[in-house]
Amino acid sequence: VLVHGGGPDNAAISWFEVFGELARSRPVLAPDLPGFGRTDGVPVDGSPAAMADLAVAVAGVGPAVWIGVSMGGDVVLNVALRHPGAVAGLVAVAPGGLAAYAGNRVLHPLAWLACRLPDAVLLPALRL
Protein backbone atom coordinates (compact mmCIF):
# COMPACT_ATOMS: atom_id res chain seq x y z
CA VAL A 1 0.00 0.00 0.00
CA LEU A 2 1.59 3.25 -1.19
CA VAL A 3 0.73 6.44 0.72
CA HIS A 4 1.53 9.80 -0.86
CA GLY A 5 2.86 12.95 0.77
CA GLY A 6 1.06 16.17 1.67
CA GLY A 7 0.74 19.60 0.13
CA PRO A 8 -0.09 19.40 -3.57
CA ASP A 9 0.84 15.69 -3.70
CA ASN A 10 -1.38 12.71 -4.51
CA ALA A 11 -0.90 9.04 -5.37
CA ALA A 12 -0.37 9.69 -9.08
CA ILE A 13 2.39 12.21 -8.41
CA SER A 14 4.23 10.20 -5.76
CA TRP A 15 3.98 6.74 -7.23
CA PHE A 16 3.50 6.90 -11.02
CA GLU A 17 7.07 5.82 -11.77
CA VAL A 18 7.08 2.75 -9.50
CA PHE A 19 3.45 1.62 -9.50
CA GLY A 20 3.68 -0.42 -12.71
CA GLU A 21 6.94 -2.08 -11.74
CA LEU A 22 5.68 -3.06 -8.30
CA ALA A 23 2.36 -4.29 -9.71
CA ARG A 24 4.14 -6.80 -11.97
CA SER A 25 4.82 -9.10 -9.05
CA ARG A 26 2.21 -8.22 -6.41
CA PRO A 27 -1.10 -6.43 -5.89
CA VAL A 28 -0.53 -2.70 -5.31
CA LEU A 29 -2.88 -0.08 -3.91
CA ALA A 30 -2.13 3.65 -3.95
CA PRO A 31 -5.18 5.53 -2.61
CA ASP A 32 -5.56 9.29 -2.53
CA LEU A 33 -6.13 10.47 1.01
CA PRO A 34 -9.13 12.75 1.65
CA GLY A 35 -8.53 16.26 0.31
CA PHE A 36 -5.91 15.07 -2.18
CA GLY A 37 -6.12 14.06 -5.82
CA ARG A 38 -9.70 13.82 -6.96
CA THR A 39 -11.28 12.75 -3.70
CA ASP A 40 -14.72 14.23 -3.20
CA GLY A 41 -17.38 13.68 -0.59
CA VAL A 42 -15.01 12.28 2.05
CA PRO A 43 -14.71 14.38 5.19
CA VAL A 44 -11.16 15.71 5.61
CA ASP A 45 -9.43 15.18 8.94
CA GLY A 46 -5.79 16.06 8.47
CA SER A 47 -4.51 14.14 11.48
CA PRO A 48 -2.12 11.26 10.72
CA ALA A 49 -4.09 8.99 13.05
CA ALA A 50 -7.40 9.61 11.25
CA MET A 51 -5.75 9.21 7.84
CA ALA A 52 -4.13 5.95 9.04
CA ASP A 53 -7.49 4.59 10.21
CA LEU A 54 -9.11 5.50 6.89
CA ALA A 55 -6.22 4.07 4.84
CA VAL A 56 -6.52 0.73 6.65
CA ALA A 57 -10.30 0.70 6.11
CA VAL A 58 -9.94 1.57 2.41
CA ALA A 59 -7.12 -0.91 1.81
CA GLY A 60 -9.18 -3.73 3.26
CA VAL A 61 -6.25 -6.12 2.93
CA GLY A 62 -4.60 -8.51 5.34
CA PRO A 63 -1.11 -7.73 6.51
CA ALA A 64 0.54 -5.59 3.84
CA VAL A 65 3.74 -3.70 3.27
CA TRP A 66 2.97 -0.01 3.84
CA ILE A 67 5.16 2.57 2.12
CA GLY A 68 4.74 6.27 2.79
CA VAL A 69 6.62 9.36 1.67
CA SER A 70 6.78 12.59 3.71
CA MET A 71 3.32 13.06 5.26
CA GLY A 72 2.52 9.53 4.05
CA GLY A 73 5.47 8.31 6.12
CA ASP A 74 3.79 9.75 9.19
CA VAL A 75 0.54 8.09 8.15
CA VAL A 76 2.11 4.63 7.69
CA LEU A 77 3.88 4.95 11.05
CA ASN A 78 0.44 5.57 12.55
CA VAL A 79 -0.90 2.54 10.67
CA ALA A 80 1.79 0.43 12.38
CA LEU A 81 1.07 1.91 15.80
CA ARG A 82 -2.73 1.82 15.56
CA HIS A 83 -3.24 -1.31 13.42
CA PRO A 84 -0.23 -3.61 13.88
CA GLY A 85 -2.15 -6.58 12.46
CA ALA A 86 -2.43 -4.76 9.11
CA VAL A 87 1.35 -4.44 8.77
CA ALA A 88 3.67 -7.04 7.26
CA GLY A 89 6.36 -4.43 6.59
CA LEU A 90 6.86 -0.71 6.80
CA VAL A 91 8.88 1.75 4.73
CA ALA A 92 8.84 5.42 5.77
CA VAL A 93 10.57 7.63 3.20
CA ALA A 94 11.54 10.98 4.77
CA PRO A 95 8.57 10.76 7.13
CA GLY A 96 7.00 13.95 8.35
CA GLY A 97 5.83 14.52 11.89
CA LEU A 98 8.95 13.25 13.66
CA ALA A 99 10.93 16.42 14.34
CA ALA A 100 9.89 18.47 17.32
CA TYR A 101 11.91 21.41 16.01
CA ALA A 102 12.83 22.24 12.41
CA GLY A 103 15.97 24.25 13.24
CA ASN A 104 14.82 27.74 12.32
CA ARG A 105 13.58 29.91 15.19
CA VAL A 106 11.20 31.88 12.96
CA LEU A 107 10.15 29.39 10.30
CA HIS A 108 9.34 26.50 12.65
CA PRO A 109 6.73 28.35 14.75
CA LEU A 110 5.19 29.85 11.59
CA ALA A 111 4.94 26.41 9.97
CA TRP A 112 3.43 25.03 13.18
CA LEU A 113 0.82 27.80 13.23
CA ALA A 114 0.05 27.36 9.52
CA CYS A 115 -0.61 23.67 10.08
CA ARG A 116 -3.21 24.56 12.70
CA LEU A 117 -5.32 26.47 10.18
CA PRO A 118 -8.70 24.85 9.52
CA ASP A 119 -8.66 22.35 6.66
CA ALA A 120 -11.13 24.57 4.76
CA VAL A 121 -8.38 27.25 4.63
CA LEU A 122 -5.22 25.13 4.61
CA LEU A 123 -6.07 22.69 1.80
CA PRO A 124 -6.99 25.34 -0.83
CA ALA A 125 -3.88 27.35 0.18
CA LEU A 126 -1.66 24.30 -0.29
CA ARG A 127 -3.19 23.60 -3.71
CA LEU A 128 -2.07 27.04 -4.87
Side-chain angles (χ1 to χ4, degrees):
V1 180
L2 308 173
V3 182
H4 62 81
D9 203 0
N10 62 47
I13 293 170
S14 281
W15 306 113
F16 79 96
E17 297 237 12
V18 298
F19 191 90
E21 285 298 318
L22 292 174
R24 289 179 196 231
S25 60
R26 67 194 54 85
V28 178
L29 177 64
D32 280 331
L33 296 171
F36 296 89
R38 295 188 178 185
T39 57
D40 288 322
V42 180
V44 176
D45 178 341
S47 74
M51 289 189 285
D53 294 344
L54 182 63
V56 168
V58 167
V61 296
V65 175
W66 291 80
I67 304 171
V69 62
S70 189
M71 178 199 74
D74 193 7
V75 172
V76 300
L77 289 169
N78 275 271
V79 168
L81 292 170
R82 298 171 63 81
H83 305 278
V87 178
L90 187 73
V91 178
V93 180
L98 299 181
Y101 182 69
N104 182 310
R105 293 177 159 243
V106 175
L107 184 58
H108 182 81
L110 289 176
W112 183 87
L113 286 171
C115 290
R116 272 44 185 183
L117 290 170
D119 285 339
V121 174
L122 184 58
L123 291 174
L126 288 173
R127 287 188 180 113
L128 289 175

Coordinates of all heavy atoms in Angstrom, one line a residue, residues 10-86:
N10 N -0.3 13.7 -4.5 CA -1.4 12.7 -4.5 C -0.7 11.4 -5.0 O 0.5 11.4 -5.3 CB -2.6 13.1 -5.4 CG -2.2 13.3 -6.9 OD1 -1.5 12.5 -7.4 ND2 -2.7 14.4 -7.4
A11 N -1.5 10.3 -5.0 CA -0.9 9.0 -5.4 C -0.3 9.0 -6.7 O 0.8 8.5 -6.9 CB -2.0 8.0 -5.3
A12 N -0.9 9.7 -7.7 CA -0.4 9.7 -9.1 C 1.0 10.4 -9.2 O 1.9 10.0 -9.9 CB -1.4 10.3 -10.0
I13 N 1.1 11.5 -8.4 CA 2.4 12.2 -8.4 C 3.5 11.4 -7.7 O 4.6 11.3 -8.2 CB 2.2 13.6 -7.8 CG1 1.3 14.5 -8.6 CG2 3.6 14.3 -7.5 CD1 0.9 15.8 -7.9
S14 N 3.2 10.9 -6.5 CA 4.2 10.2 -5.8 C 4.7 8.9 -6.4 O 5.8 8.5 -6.3 CB 3.7 9.9 -4.3 OG 3.8 11.1 -3.5
W15 N 3.7 8.1 -6.9 CA 4.0 6.7 -7.2 C 3.9 6.4 -8.7 O 4.1 5.2 -9.0 CB 3.0 5.9 -6.4 CG 3.1 6.2 -5.0 CD1 2.1 6.8 -4.2 CD2 4.2 6.0 -4.1 NE1 2.5 6.9 -2.9 CE2 3.8 6.4 -2.8 CE3 5.4 5.5 -4.2 CZ2 4.6 6.4 -1.7 CZ3 6.3 5.4 -3.1 CH2 5.8 5.9 -1.9
F16 N 3.7 7.3 -9.6 CA 3.5 6.9 -11.0 C 4.7 6.2 -11.6 O 4.5 5.3 -12.5 CB 3.1 8.1 -11.9 CG 4.3 9.0 -12.3 CD1 4.9 8.9 -13.5 CD2 4.7 10.0 -11.4 CE1 5.9 9.7 -13.9 CE2 5.7 10.8 -11.8 CZ 6.4 10.7 -13.0
E17 N 5.9 6.5 -11.2 CA 7.1 5.8 -11.8 C 7.3 4.4 -11.3 O 7.9 3.6 -12.0 CB 8.3 6.6 -11.5 CG 8.2 8.0 -12.1 CD 9.4 8.3 -13.0 OE1 10.2 7.4 -13.4 OE2 9.5 9.5 -13.4
V18 N 6.8 4.1 -10.1 CA 7.1 2.8 -9.5 C 5.9 1.8 -9.5 O 6.0 0.6 -9.3 CB 7.7 2.9 -8.1 CG1 9.0 3.6 -8.1 CG2 6.7 3.5 -7.1
F19 N 4.7 2.4 -9.6 CA 3.4 1.6 -9.5 C 3.4 0.4 -10.5 O 3.2 -0.7 -10.0 CB 2.2 2.5 -9.8 CG 0.9 1.8 -9.4 CD1 0.4 1.9 -8.1 CD2 0.2 1.0 -10.3 CE1 -0.8 1.3 -7.7 CE2 -0.9 0.4 -9.9 CZ -1.4 0.5 -8.6
G20 N 3.7 0.7 -11.7 CA 3.7 -0.4 -12.7 C 4.7 -1.5 -12.4 O 4.4 -2.7 -12.5
E21 N 5.9 -1.1 -12.0 CA 6.9 -2.1 -11.7 C 6.6 -2.9 -10.5 O 6.7 -4.2 -10.5 CB 8.3 -1.4 -11.5 CG 8.9 -0.9 -12.7 CD 9.3 -2.0 -13.7 OE1 9.8 -3.1 -13.3 OE2 9.0 -1.8 -14.9
L22 N 6.1 -2.3 -9.5 CA 5.7 -3.1 -8.3 C 4.5 -4.0 -8.6 O 4.4 -5.1 -8.1 CB 5.3 -2.1 -7.2 CG 6.5 -1.3 -6.6 CD1 5.9 -0.3 -5.5 CD2 7.5 -2.2 -5.9
A23 N 3.6 -3.5 -9.4 CA 2.4 -4.3 -9.7 C 2.6 -5.5 -10.6 O 1.8 -6.4 -10.7 CB 1.3 -3.4 -10.4
R24 N 3.8 -5.6 -11.2 CA 4.1 -6.8 -12.0 C 4.2 -8.1 -11.1 O 4.0 -9.2 -11.6 CB 5.5 -6.6 -12.7 CG 5.4 -5.6 -13.8 CD 6.8 -5.5 -14.4 NE 6.8 -4.3 -15.2 CZ 7.2 -4.2 -16.5 NH1 7.6 -5.3 -17.1 NH2 7.2 -3.1 -17.2
S25 N 4.6 -7.9 -9.9 CA 4.8 -9.1 -9.1 C 3.9 -9.2 -7.8 O 4.0 -10.2 -7.1 CB 6.3 -9.1 -8.6 OG 6.6 -8.0 -7.9
R26 N 3.1 -8.2 -7.6 CA 2.2 -8.2 -6.4 C 1.1 -7.2 -6.6 O 1.2 -6.3 -7.4 CB 3.0 -7.8 -5.2 CG 3.5 -6.4 -5.2 CD 4.6 -6.0 -4.2 NE 5.7 -6.8 -4.2 CZ 6.8 -6.7 -5.0 NH1 6.8 -5.7 -5.9 NH2 7.8 -7.4 -5.0
P27 N 0.0 -7.4 -5.9 CA -1.1 -6.4 -5.9 C -0.6 -5.1 -5.2 O 0.1 -5.2 -4.2 CB -2.2 -7.0 -5.1 CG -1.8 -8.4 -4.7 CD -0.3 -8.6 -5.0
V28 N -1.0 -4.0 -5.8 CA -0.5 -2.7 -5.3 C -1.7 -1.8 -5.2 O -2.6 -1.7 -6.1 CB 0.5 -2.1 -6.2 CG1 1.0 -0.7 -5.7 CG2 1.8 -3.0 -6.3
L29 N -1.8 -1.1 -4.1 CA -2.9 -0.1 -3.9 C -2.2 1.2 -3.6 O -1.3 1.3 -2.7 CB -3.8 -0.5 -2.8 CG -4.9 0.4 -2.4 CD1 -5.9 0.5 -3.5 CD2 -5.6 -0.1 -1.1
A30 N -2.7 2.3 -4.2 CA -2.1 3.7 -4.0 C -3.3 4.6 -3.9 O -3.6 5.3 -4.8 CB -1.1 4.1 -5.0
P31 N -4.0 4.7 -2.7 CA -5.2 5.5 -2.6 C -4.8 7.0 -2.4 O -3.7 7.3 -1.9 CB -5.9 5.0 -1.3 CG -4.7 4.5 -0.5 CD -3.7 3.9 -1.5
D32 N -5.7 7.9 -2.9 CA -5.6 9.3 -2.5 C -6.2 9.5 -1.2 O -7.4 9.0 -1.0 CB -6.2 10.2 -3.6 CG -5.4 10.4 -4.8 OD1 -4.2 10.3 -4.7 OD2 -6.0 10.5 -5.9
L33 N -5.5 10.2 -0.3 CA -6.1 10.5 1.0 C -7.2 11.6 0.8 O -7.1 12.4 -0.1 CB -5.0 10.9 2.0 CG -4.0 9.8 2.3 CD1 -2.8 10.4 3.1 CD2 -4.7 8.6 3.1
P34 N -8.1 11.7 1.8 CA -9.1 12.8 1.7 C -8.5 14.1 1.5 O -7.6 14.5 2.2 CB -9.9 12.6 3.0 CG -9.7 11.2 3.4 CD -8.3 10.9 3.0
G35 N -9.0 14.9 0.6 CA -8.5 16.3 0.3 C -7.4 16.3 -0.7 O -6.9 17.4 -1.0
F36 N -7.0 15.1 -1.2 CA -5.9 15.1 -2.2 C -6.4 14.4 -3.5 O -7.4 13.6 -3.4 CB -4.7 14.3 -1.6 CG -4.1 14.9 -0.4 CD1 -4.5 14.6 0.9 CD2 -3.0 15.8 -0.6 CE1 -3.9 15.2 2.0 CE2 -2.4 16.4 0.5 CZ -2.9 16.1 1.8
G37 N -5.7 14.7 -4.6 CA -6.1 14.1 -5.8 C -7.5 14.5 -6.2 O -7.9 15.6 -6.1
R38 N -8.3 13.5 -6.5 CA -9.7 13.8 -7.0 C -10.7 13.3 -6.0 O -11.8 12.9 -6.4 CB -9.9 13.2 -8.3 CG -9.1 13.9 -9.4 CD -9.4 13.5 -10.7 NE -8.5 14.3 -11.6 CZ -8.6 14.3 -12.9 NH1 -9.5 13.5 -13.5 NH2 -7.8 15.0 -13.7
T39 N -10.3 13.2 -4.7 CA -11.3 12.8 -3.7 C -12.4 13.8 -3.5 O -12.1 15.0 -3.4 CB -10.6 12.5 -2.4 OG1 -9.9 13.6 -1.9 CG2 -9.6 11.3 -2.5
D40 N -13.6 13.4 -3.5 CA -14.7 14.2 -3.2 C -15.7 13.5 -2.3 O -15.8 12.3 -2.3 CB -15.5 14.6 -4.5 CG -14.7 15.5 -5.4 OD1 -14.1 16.5 -4.8 OD2 -14.8 15.3 -6.6
G41 N -16.4 14.3 -1.4 CA -17.4 13.7 -0.6 C -16.9 12.9 0.6 O -17.6 12.3 1.3
V42 N -15.6 12.9 0.9 CA -15.0 12.3 2.0 C -14.6 13.4 3.0 O -13.8 14.2 2.7 CB -13.8 11.4 1.7 CG1 -13.2 10.7 2.9 CG2 -14.2 10.4 0.6
P43 N -15.1 13.3 4.2 CA -14.7 14.4 5.2 C -13.2 14.4 5.4 O -12.6 13.3 5.5 CB -15.4 14.0 6.5 CG -16.5 13.0 6.1 CD -16.0 12.4 4.8
V44 N -12.6 15.6 5.5 CA -11.2 15.7 5.6 C -10.8 15.9 7.1 O -11.3 16.8 7.7 CB -10.6 16.9 4.8 CG1 -9.2 17.1 5.0 CG2 -10.9 16.7 3.3
D45 N -10.0 15.0 7.6 CA -9.4 15.2 8.9 C -7.9 15.0 8.7 O -7.5 13.9 8.5 CB -10.0 14.1 9.9 CG -9.4 14.2 11.3 OD1 -8.3 14.8 11.4 OD2 -9.9 13.7 12.2
G46 N -7.2 16.1 8.8 CA -5.8 16.1 8.5 C -4.9 15.4 9.5 O -3.7 15.3 9.2
S47 N -5.4 14.8 10.5 CA -4.5 14.1 11.5 C -4.0 12.8 10.9 O -4.7 12.1 10.3 CB -5.2 13.9 12.8 OG -6.1 12.8 12.7
P48 N -2.7 12.5 11.2 CA -2.1 11.3 10.7 C -2.9 10.0 11.3 O -3.0 9.1 10.5 CB -0.7 11.3 11.2 CG -0.4 12.7 11.4 CD -1.7 13.4 11.8
A49 N -3.4 10.1 12.5 CA -4.1 9.0 13.1 C -5.4 8.7 12.3 O -5.7 7.6 11.9 CB -4.4 9.2 14.5
A50 N -6.1 9.8 12.0 CA -7.4 9.6 11.3 C -7.1 9.1 9.8 O -7.9 8.3 9.3 CB -8.2 10.9 11.2
M51 N -6.1 9.7 9.2 CA -5.7 9.2 7.8 C -5.3 7.8 7.9 O -5.6 7.0 6.9 CB -4.7 10.1 7.2 CG -5.3 11.5 6.9 SD -4.2 12.5 5.9 CE -3.0 13.0 7.1
A52 N -4.6 7.3 8.9 CA -4.1 5.9 9.0 C -5.3 5.0 9.2 O -5.4 4.0 8.5 CB -3.2 5.8 10.2
D53 N -6.3 5.4 10.0 CA -7.5 4.6 10.2 C -8.2 4.4 8.9 O -8.7 3.3 8.5 CB -8.4 5.2 11.3 CG -7.8 5.2 12.7 OD1 -6.8 4.5 12.9 OD2 -8.3 5.9 13.5
L54 N -8.4 5.5 8.2 CA -9.1 5.5 6.9 C -8.3 4.7 5.9 O -8.9 3.9 5.1 CB -9.3 6.9 6.4 CG -10.1 7.0 5.1 CD1 -11.5 6.4 5.3 CD2 -10.2 8.4 4.6
A55 N -7.0 4.8 5.8 CA -6.2 4.1 4.8 C -6.4 2.6 5.1 O -6.5 1.8 4.1 CB -4.8 4.5 4.9
V56 N -6.4 2.2 6.3 CA -6.5 0.7 6.6 C -7.9 0.3 6.2 O -8.1 -0.8 5.6 CB -6.3 0.5 8.2 CG1 -6.7 -0.9 8.6 CG2 -4.8 0.7 8.5
A57 N -8.9 1.1 6.5 CA -10.3 0.7 6.1 C -10.4 0.6 4.6 O -11.1 -0.3 4.1 CB -11.3 1.7 6.7
V58 N -9.9 1.6 3.9 CA -9.9 1.6 2.4 C -9.1 0.4 1.8 O -9.6 -0.2 0.9 CB -9.4 2.9 1.8 CG1 -9.2 2.9 0.3 CG2 -10.4 4.0 2.2
A59 N -8.0 0.2 2.4 CA -7.1 -0.9 1.8 C -7.8 -2.3 1.9 O -7.8 -3.1 1.0 CB -5.8 -0.9 2.5
G60 N -8.4 -2.5 3.1 CA -9.2 -3.7 3.3 C -8.4 -5.0 3.0 O -8.9 -6.0 2.5
V61 N -7.1 -5.0 3.2 CA -6.2 -6.1 2.9 C -5.7 -6.7 4.2 O -5.8 -6.0 5.3 CB -5.0 -5.7 2.0 CG1 -5.5 -5.3 0.7 CG2 -4.2 -4.7 2.7
G62 N -5.2 -7.9 4.2 CA -4.6 -8.5 5.3 C -3.3 -7.8 5.6 O -3.1 -6.7 5.0
P63 N -2.4 -8.4 6.3 CA -1.1 -7.7 6.5 C -0.5 -7.4 5.2 O -0.4 -8.2 4.3 CB -0.3 -8.8 7.3 CG -1.3 -9.7 7.9 CD -2.5 -9.7 7.0
A64 N 0.0 -6.1 5.1 CA 0.5 -5.6 3.8 C 1.8 -4.8 4.2 O 2.1 -4.5 5.3 CB -0.5 -4.6 3.1
V65 N 2.6 -4.6 3.1 CA 3.7 -3.7 3.3 C 3.2 -2.3 3.0 O 2.6 -2.0 1.9 CB 4.9 -4.1 2.3 CG1 6.0 -3.1 2.4 CG2 5.4 -5.5 2.6
W66 N 3.4 -1.4 3.9 CA 3.0 0.0 3.8 C 4.2 0.9 3.6 O 5.2 0.8 4.3 CB 2.3 0.4 5.1 CG 1.0 -0.3 5.4 CD1 0.8 -1.5 5.9 CD2 -0.3 0.2 5.1 NE1 -0.5 -1.8 5.9 CE2 -1.2 -0.8 5.5 CE3 -0.8 1.5 4.6 CZ2 -2.6 -0.6 5.3 CZ3 -2.1 1.6 4.5 CH2 -3.0 0.6 4.8
I67 N 4.1 1.7 2.5 CA 5.2 2.6 2.1 C 4.6 4.0 2.1 O 3.6 4.2 1.4 CB 5.8 2.2 0.7 CG1 6.2 0.7 0.8 CG2 6.9 3.1 0.4 CD1 6.6 0.2 -0.6
G68 N 5.2 4.9 2.8 CA 4.7 6.3 2.8 C 5.9 7.2 2.6 O 7.0 7.0 3.1
V69 N 5.6 8.3 1.9 CA 6.6 9.4 1.7 C 6.2 10.6 2.3 O 5.0 11.0 2.2 CB 6.9 9.6 0.2 CG1 5.7 10.0 -0.6 CG2 8.0 10.5 0.0
S70 N 7.1 11.3 3.1 CA 6.8 12.6 3.7 C 5.6 12.5 4.6 O 5.6 11.6 5.6 CB 6.6 13.7 2.6 OG 6.5 14.9 3.2
M71 N 4.5 13.2 4.4 CA 3.3 13.1 5.3 C 2.8 11.6 5.3 O 2.4 11.1 6.3 CB 2.2 14.0 4.8 CG 0.9 13.9 5.6 SD -0.5 14.6 4.7 CE -0.8 13.3 3.5
G72 N 2.9 10.9 4.1 CA 2.5 9.5 4.0 C 3.4 8.6 4.9 O 2.9 7.6 5.4
G73 N 4.6 9.0 5.2 CA 5.5 8.3 6.1 C 4.9 8.4 7.5 O 4.9 7.4 8.3
D74 N 4.4 9.6 7.9 CA 3.8 9.7 9.2 C 2.5 8.9 9.3 O 2.2 8.3 10.3 CB 3.5 11.2 9.4 CG 3.1 11.6 10.8 OD1 3.2 10.7 11.7 OD2 2.7 12.7 11.1
V75 N 1.8 8.9 8.2 CA 0.5 8.1 8.1 C 0.8 6.6 8.3 O 0.2 5.9 9.1 CB -0.3 8.4 6.8 CG1 -1.4 7.4 6.7 CG2 -0.7 9.8 6.8
V76 N 1.8 6.1 7.6 CA 2.1 4.6 7.7 C 2.7 4.3 9.1 O 2.5 3.2 9.6 CB 3.0 4.1 6.5 CG1 2.3 4.3 5.2 CG2 4.4 4.6 6.5
L77 N 3.4 5.2 9.7 CA 3.9 5.0 11.0 C 2.7 4.8 12.0 O 2.7 4.0 12.9 CB 4.8 6.1 11.5 CG 6.2 6.1 10.9 CD1 6.9 7.4 11.2 CD2 7.0 4.9 11.3
N78 N 1.7 5.7 11.8 CA 0.4 5.6 12.5 C -0.3 4.3 12.2 O -1.0 3.7 13.1 CB -0.4 6.8 12.3 CG 0.0 7.9 13.3 OD1 -0.5 8.0 14.4 ND2 0.9 8.8 12.8
V79 N -0.3 3.8 11.0 CA -0.9 2.5 10.7 C -0.2 1.5 11.5 O -0.9 0.6 12.1 CB -0.8 2.2 9.2 CG1 -1.1 0.7 8.9 CG2 -1.6 3.1 8.3
A80 N 1.1 1.5 11.6 CA 1.8 0.4 12.4 C 1.5 0.5 13.9 O 1.3 -0.5 14.5 CB 3.3 0.6 12.2
L81 N 1.4 1.7 14.4 CA 1.1 1.9 15.8 C -0.4 1.6 16.1 O -0.7 1.0 17.2 CB 1.4 3.4 16.2 CG 2.9 3.7 16.2 CD1 3.0 5.3 16.4 CD2 3.6 3.0 17.3
R82 N -1.3 2.0 15.3 CA -2.7 1.8 15.6 C -3.3 0.5 15.1 O -4.3 0.0 15.6 CB -3.5 3.0 15.0 CG -3.1 4.3 15.5 CD -3.7 5.5 14.8 NE -5.1 5.6 14.9 CZ -5.8 6.0 15.9 NH1 -5.2 6.5 17.0 NH2 -7.1 6.1 15.9
H83 N -2.7 -0.1 14.0 CA -3.2 -1.3 13.4 C -2.1 -2.3 13.1 O -1.9 -2.6 12.0 CB -4.0 -1.0 12.1 CG -5.0 0.1 12.3 ND1 -6.3 -0.2 12.7 CD2 -5.0 1.4 12.1 CE1 -7.0 0.9 12.8 NE2 -6.3 1.9 12.4
P84 N -1.4 -2.8 14.1 CA -0.2 -3.6 13.9 C -0.6 -4.9 13.1 O 0.3 -5.4 12.4 CB 0.3 -3.9 15.3 CG -0.8 -3.6 16.2 CD -1.6 -2.6 15.6
G85 N -1.8 -5.4 13.2 CA -2.1 -6.6 12.5 C -2.3 -6.4 11.0 O -2.3 -7.3 10.2
A86 N -2.3 -5.1 10.5 CA -2.4 -4.8 9.1 C -1.1 -4.6 8.5 O -1.0 -4.4 7.3 CB -3.2 -3.5 8.9

